[in-house]
Amino acid sequence: MRARRLVCAWMAMLFMAGPGAARDYDIVTVKSGDTADVYFQINLSGTLYLDIRTKDGVGCANLWWITWPLGTIKSEGRHCGFVKLDIPGFFDLSFSSKLRASAESSDIMIGYSANEAVAHSIKFEFP
């Protein structure tokens, strides 16, 4: 419970100070040695803000995107603490994507928020 309060307080400070304040945040817990889906989007563009924490402070995770329709994997590598990622889009041949994270040696909590917008829209005209 103490770790959750620490993460919530830290996330509140970060989101009030930066451009990621556009939306509420969510928290995902990843057990040591496990993998979890952190974020999923369809037809969005923008930036994803992450804060990776352990009960002792700054945590690290391996991050990668799975993009559709081709099902390719785009590795983001190992990141610790506060992370800012671009949501894959047209130049990554992606219409939809999912961010996955794996915890290394300890349980982690990942707080995230996104500054996102619709990437492509279709205009319908009726006669």
Side-chain angles (χ1 to χ4, degrees):
M1 188 64 164
R2 183 171 179 238
R4 185 175 177 95
R5 283 189 212 150
L6 176 66
V7 169
C8 290
W10 181 252
M11 294 298 293
M13 287 188 304
L14 287 174
F15 292 134
M16 285 189 282
R23 181 181 123 156
D24 291 338
Y25 66 90
D26 291 310
I27 296 175
V28 174
T29 301
V30 186
K31 299 284 186 192
S32 177
D34 284 349
T35 299
D37 295 341
V38 177
Y39 177 79
F40 177 77
Q41 65 84 17
I42 297 175
N43 195 29
L44 296 177
S45 63
T47 306
L48 185 64
Y49 302 91
L50 308 171
D51 191 13
I52 305 168
R53 297 285 165 185
T54 65
K55 65 179 181 178
D56 299 322
V58 174
C60 298
N62 291 312
L63 303 172
W64 66 94
W65 292 99
I66 301 172
T67 61
W68 287 280
L70 301 178
T72 57
I73 296 175
K74 178 184 176 191
S75 176
E76 292 291 343
R78 182 176 185 266
H79 290 278
C80 301
F82 184 74
V83 182
K84 178 181 169 185
L85 301 173
D86 291 327
I87 297 171
F90 179 75
F91 295 111
D92 298 302
L93 302 175
S94 173
F95 177 73
S96 175
S97 59
K98 178 189 307 186
L99 181 69
R100 284 201 172 152
S102 67
E104 296 174 335
S105 59
S106 62
D107 296 353
I108 59 172
M109 295 178 80
I110 302 174
Y112 70 92
S113 179
N115 186 0
E116 54 201 13
V118 174
H120 305 284
S121 62
I122 300 171
K123 183 177 179 182
F124 292 96
E125 293 186 24
F126 295 93

